[in-house]
Amino acid sequence: MSTNVTQSTNNFPEFLYRYRSNSTRYACQDLKQAIGFRRVYFSSLLGQNDPFDCNPSFKSSSAQEIVDYFKKHRPGKLIVEEKTVSKLFPKISSPGERRRIRRAYRPTLANIERVMQTGEALLQEQRRKAFICCFSESWDSPLMWSHYSNSHRGYCIKYRVREDLMQKFDDRFPLDVKYSSKRPKLTMIDLLKFADGVKGKVGNYSQNEVLLALAYQKPDEWKYEKEWRAHSLSDPRPGYKPLSALEPVEVILGANSDDRIPDFIRRRVDERIPISKVNLSSQNYSICLKPV
């Protein structure tokens, strides 16, 4: 396996934390969905604040590699598959005629070059289809409160990680982000294999490793976030989606949050969910929690 992409350790922490701003019109909805329904908002990979994030580089595969891949995994379908023929030639219903059309698109130099030229577009297509939500192992990072919770005015939801529920009710559960000084590099073969759902090692990466390169690797500079992510490929749309493996157990308010916020939150969350507020240490640059 290439050192550019590393498998997730899957040593799940006991708790994960999701920082939220109180300055958007979705703040109340976020809280209601998270506490009441165990649903969190999944956003597009394309909307990350670092252009390197979820954005591996691309390296073209050779013509021979592409031909070998299609012979093994898409026999007779170098460019045009049956459903594509139907779309291009809707008036042709004869199976024999449709096979003749498909044969016309078998490995010719022009068709191979056409596949080679679609690599960057295929990479962007896979990125557009994936949506993520983000968490942290830490609640006590002043930087995280500054960057993701409206300068300590927002809140943070504490989740208990329920390993016993993972993959039992849904296919979305958190994996740890890997930090590296090297940018992942995917080839045309990697992307074709990922799009086709081919299992095992084909090309540089396995299918899982392509996913890690697309959604779970960031530059070293972001290590302080201690980030975990859940991804959604089966439902390629943004929006609130269930995360049954994460159980909300506490709401933590930022140090600069309005004094009226606890009452506002209490009216919207289960009475069994405690509310705490961040306090600043008088001795050093650390923070602690005080029950509200």
Side-chain angles (χ1 to χ4, degrees):
M1 182 175 81
S2 169
T3 56
N4 281 7
V5 180
T6 307
Q7 290 285 4
S8 174
T9 59
N10 290 349
N11 293 322
F12 296 102
E14 184 178 3
F15 299 105
L16 287 173
Y17 303 86
R18 183 160 167 83
Y19 292 84
R20 308 307 292 157
S21 172
N22 70 333
S23 64
T24 72
R25 58 194 177 105
Y26 303 109
C28 182
Q29 178 77 340
D30 279 348
L31 194 62
K32 180 180 178 180
Q33 289 284 336
I35 303 298
F37 303 101
R38 290 198 194 181
R39 293 166 64 90
V40 295
Y41 193 87
F42 283 73
S43 57
S44 170
L45 284 181
L46 304 180
Q48 304 310 300
N49 53 11
D50 179 355
F52 284 117
D53 190 356
C54 305
N55 190 14
S57 61
F58 175 76
K59 179 183 178 182
S60 182
S61 300
S62 70
Q64 187 61 57
E65 288 173 322
I66 291 173
V67 170
D68 290 344
Y69 179 88
F70 273 88
K71 283 182 177 179
K72 183 175 181 179
H73 299 288
R74 295 187 182 184
K77 302 179 182 180
L78 184 60
I79 297 295
V80 177
E81 301 183 11
E82 176 64 29
K83 61 182 178 182
T84 310
V85 173
S86 301
K87 186 180 296 185
L88 294 176
F89 306 97
K91 296 182 179 180
I92 298 178
S93 57
S94 166
E97 183 64 13
R98 289 152 82 99
R99 281 195 298 271
R100 186 192 66 75
I101 293 172
R102 284 173 52 193
R103 280 198 297 271
Y105 285 86
R106 285 184 175 175
T108 65
L109 181 60
N111 286 334
I112 294 170
E113 289 178 345
R114 193 177 300 134
V115 173
M116 295 174 72
Q117 292 167 4
T118 62
E120 293 275 9
L122 183 57
L123 174 58
Q124 296 308 315
E125 179 186 355
Q126 294 305 320
R127 294 182 68 217
R128 281 194 298 271
K129 287 181 177 179
F131 295 84
I132 62 171
C133 63
C134 306
F135 305 86
S136 174
E137 291 184 27
S138 172
W139 66 267
D140 57 355
S141 167
L143 275 177
M144 294 292 283
W145 282 101
S146 297
H147 294 165
Y148 298 109
S149 196
N150 193 25
S151 299
H152 297 249
R153 298 186 188 92
Y155 61 92
C156 175
I157 300 176
K158 178 181 179 180
Y159 291 91
R160 177 178 288 110
V161 179
R162 295 286 305 274
E163 292 189 54
D164 57 315
L165 298 181
M166 288 184 183
Q167 291 186 309
K168 186 175 181 180
F169 296 107
D170 57 63
D171 63 350
R172 308 177 191 100
F173 54 88
L175 297 173
D176 54 324
V177 168
K178 297 301 179 184
Y179 303 98
S180 174
S181 61
K182 295 182 179 180
R183 189 178 178 187
K185 183 175 292 184
L186 300 180
T187 67
M188 186 68 189
I189 299 300
D190 295 323
L191 295 168
L192 286 170
K193 168 204 57 208
F194 184 72
D196 291 345
V198 174
K199 306 296 183 183
K201 181 79 77 174
V202 181
N204 290 338
Y205 302 126
S206 71
Q207 187 185 17
N208 285 341
E209 290 164 351
V210 174
L211 176 61
L212 292 176
L214 285 170
Y216 290 94
Q217 185 161 327
K218 297 176 70 170
D220 278 331
E221 286 80 359
W222 296 97
K223 277 185 177 179
Y224 75 92
E225 293 187 337
K226 300 179 181 178
E227 185 176 356
W228 287 65
R229 288 176 172 176
H231 72 276
S232 176
L233 290 171
S234 58
D235 180 11
R237 296 171 298 176
Y240 292 100
K241 304 177 186 183
L243 266 181
S244 302
L246 296 184
E247 176 187 2
V249 294
E250 186 176 4
V251 177
I252 302 171
L253 307 180
N256 293 332
S257 61
D258 192 299
D259 289 339
R260 296 169 295 179
I261 292 295
D263 290 335
F264 172 84
I265 291 179
R266 177 53 67 202
R267 292 196 299 268
R268 289 162 174 79
V269 304
D270 191 311
E271 287 289 341
R272 294 169 294 180
I273 302 290
I275 301 175
S276 303
K277 185 172 181 177
V278 169
N279 271 17
L280 306 183
S281 169
S282 61
Q283 305 298 320
N284 50 46
Y285 292 115
S286 65
I287 56 179
C288 59
L289 291 182
K290 182 180 179 181
V292 173

